[in-house]
């Protein structure tokens, strides 16, 4: 995806990107490629692929839902979707939760380079972060590779009532929702909407919006070792 296509596709979906924001995306892509030579952040580093498979892909979740208020991105990695959403929606208050220290160093340097405000990097695991931040956030996102029922337990208690957990999954996303039905209900959610999107390489992305309708029981999330051994 070239730059003009990126800008136009976002515009078609109601997202206007200014020259300043595009310059931030360009700097992000450049710094990602540069830093990737020091530590392995991503297998995708070529500019047009980054625009398509990292930036555009991260913004898909905002095509069907207005993203505003507060957002925490659990297991953010190189900042997808958290940093991308912050660039596109500057008023959004973002927390990036990432357990690997080297990635956190990259994220902080990136934030400083881009001059972003109201965005924080926290070096911890999602289930530890929830201890002090229970039901605080309007939106919680995760683009992680863990099974959906595991992700919902790890992330769900961070979402405030009437807020959303948004999961970005591959082509098996619909099947995963069926398998995670118990976890969805146990953590106080209902499936509000599921959107299937075909990407430019013909692969599929399933975006699921889980609305918090009841408070999460205090005993969740459990310790990660227990979650992995016996998921909901």
């Amino acid at each position: 995806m070239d730059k003009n296509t990126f800008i136009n596709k976002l515009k078609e979906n109601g997202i206007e990107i200014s020259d300043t924001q595009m310059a931030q995306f360009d700097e992000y892509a450049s710094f990602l490629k540069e830093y990737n030579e020091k530590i392995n952040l991503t297998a995708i580093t070529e500019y047009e692929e980054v625009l398509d498979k990292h930036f555009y892909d991260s913004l898909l979740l905002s095509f069907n839902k207005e993203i505003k208020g507060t957002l925490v991105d659990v297991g953010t990695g190189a900042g997808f979707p958290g940093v991308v959403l912050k660039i596109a929606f500057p008023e959004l208050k973002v927390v990036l939760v990432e357990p690997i220290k080297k990635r956190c160093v990259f994220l902080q340097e990136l934030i400083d380079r881009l001059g972003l405000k109201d965005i924080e990097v926290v070096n911890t695991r999602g289930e530890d972060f929830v201890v002090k931040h229970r039901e605080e956030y309007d939106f919680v996102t995760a683009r992680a590779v863990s099974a959906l029922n595991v992700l919902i337990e790890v992330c769900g208690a961070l979402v405030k009532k009437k807020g959303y957990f948004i999961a970005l999954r591959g082509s098996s996303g619909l099947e995963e929702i069926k398998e995670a039905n118990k976890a969805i209900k146990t953590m106080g959610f209902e499936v509000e909407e599921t959107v299937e999107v075909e990407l430019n390489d013909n692969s599929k992305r399933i975006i699921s919006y889980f609305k918090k309708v009841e408070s999460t029981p205090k005993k969740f999330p459990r310790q990660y070792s227990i979650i992995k051994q016996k998921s909901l």
Side-chain angles (χ1 to χ4, degrees), residues 6-209:
F6 176 70
I7 292 169
N8 289 335
K9 273 185 167 277
L10 292 182
K11 192 172 183 178
E12 286 169 12
N13 287 282
I15 302 172
E16 296 272 358
I17 297 295
S18 69
D19 290 344
T20 299
Q21 287 167 302
M22 195 63 233
Q24 287 176 316
F25 280 125
D26 286 343
E27 178 64 22
Y28 191 170
S30 175
F31 188 53
L32 180 69
K33 185 173 184 177
E34 174 192 324
Y35 211 93
N36 205 60
E37 294 176 6
K38 291 197 278 186
I39 67 167
N40 183 28
L41 293 165
T42 174
I44 298 167
T45 58
E46 294 308 311
Y47 178 70
E48 293 195 348
E49 274 199 290
V50 169
L51 284 185
D52 186 15
K53 294 180 179 176
H54 285 325
F55 297 169
Y56 182 73
D57 187 45
S58 291
L59 289 167
L60 289 173
L61 63 84
S62 66
F63 292 178
N64 295 279
K65 182 73 62 183
E66 185 181 5
I67 307 298
K68 62 181 182 179
T70 56
L71 178 144
V72 58
D73 185 22
V74 177
T76 189
F80 313 124
V83 177
V84 180
L85 290 166
K86 177 63 183 177
I87 294 171
F89 307 105
E91 299 303 313
L92 190 65
K93 293 185 178 181
V94 176
V95 179
L96 308 171
V97 174
E98 171 54 48
I100 298 175
K101 179 68 174 176
K102 288 180 180 179
R103 290 178 183 166
C104 290
V105 173
F106 161 76
L107 290 166
Q108 192 57 59
E109 288 189 32
L110 173 67
I111 287 165
D112 293 343
R113 274 190 176 224
L114 300 181
L116 300 176
K117 307 297 181 187
D118 281 333
I119 181 168
E120 178 186 3
V121 181
V122 181
N123 181 204
T124 191
R125 298 183 69 95
E127 66 274 16
D128 296 324
F129 184 72
V130 77
V131 174
K132 293 183 179 178
H133 301 280
R134 223 180 154 79
E135 302 197 329
E136 280 190 14
Y137 297 93
D138 297 304
F139 295 94
V140 176
T141 54
R143 202 185 181 212
V145 294
S146 300
L148 183 58
N149 55 349
V150 172
L151 275 182
I152 287 175
E153 181 168 353
V154 169
C155 302
L158 291 166
V159 183
K160 65 171 61 169
K161 202 166 176 185
K162 297 185 180 179
Y164 291 86
F165 171 60
I166 307 175
L168 296 91
R169 312 302 289 175
S171 56
S172 63
L174 294 175
E175 190 61 37
E176 287 186 57
I177 290 174
K178 291 178 186 175
E179 292 171 0
N181 190 50
K182 182 183 176 184
I184 293 164
K185 290 180 178 176
T186 300
M187 297 298 289
F189 289 91
E190 64 180 17
V191 183
E192 182 176 271
E193 186 178 14
T194 299
V195 181
E196 187 174 314
V197 182
E198 189 168 290
L199 302 176
N200 292 316
D201 63 359
N202 297 319
S203 64
K204 287 183 180 177
R205 171 69 77 198
I206 306 294
I207 305 165
S208 301
Y209 300 86

